[in-house]
Amino acid sequence: MKLSILILSIAVSVSVACKTKKATSESSSTEMKQTTEQSSPKTIGKVSHQYRATGCATVVIIKTADNTITLIPKDKLPDNLDVDGIEISFDYHLLKMHNPVGCNAGIPAALTNIKARK
């Protein structure tokens, strides 16, 4: 009798814990998607070929009030945007990968939503 009550209480505890955790993770992921979509900041930078001689094909230079950030795009930019000196707006996230061989000018990054700035 005591064994069946113990097994029943453990089963109820596990089922309640699993349902609660699942509902929480679904709602938090939905909230995160909505926050990301609403506050999708665009970064503005300038395409540069100034490091081609050292091994960097194309870099994007972001100038902030405090410093300058040089990004090395993981994927090649579209031909219409891979023009030295053009300003672009984009979203990015930094990558944990090695720089291309011979290119020590910046930080590898994945660029998305790339558009020419008018």
Side-chain angles (χ1 to χ4, degrees):
M1 180 72 175
K2 289 181 183 179
L3 182 62
S4 60
I5 293 174
L6 180 65
I7 292 174
L8 181 62
S9 64
I10 290 174
V12 169
S13 298
V14 169
S15 68
V16 169
C18 290
K19 288 181 182 178
T20 304
K21 187 173 184 179
K22 184 177 179 181
T24 304
S25 67
E26 286 177 4
S27 66
S28 66
S29 67
T30 303
E31 289 172 9
M32 188 181 303
K33 286 179 186 176
Q34 290 173 347
T35 305
T36 305
E37 290 171 2
Q38 291 173 355
S39 63
S40 172
K42 291 282 185 183
T43 306
I44 297 173
K46 189 177 279 192
V47 176
S48 176
H49 296 147
Q50 70 186 32
Y51 298 106
R52 279 205 169 166
T54 61
C56 296
T58 301
V59 296
V60 178
I61 299 173
I62 304 168
K63 294 196 181 206
T64 62
D66 300 335
N67 58 5
T68 301
I69 302 169
T70 304
L71 300 177
I72 305 167
K74 181 186 112 187
D75 299 319
K76 185 178 180 333
L77 295 177
D79 290 335
N80 63 331
L81 298 176
D82 195 1
V83 177
D84 193 32
I86 190 172
E87 279 196 348
I88 57 174
S89 63
F90 56 94
D91 294 321
Y92 75 95
H93 68 273
L94 301 177
L95 300 173
K96 294 181 180 180
M97 61 184 277
H98 294 288
N99 288 15
V101 176
C103 181
N104 298 317
I107 306 165
L111 283 80
T112 56
N113 300 326
I114 307 168
K115 295 179 184 168
R117 189 139 188 261
K118 298 176 182 178

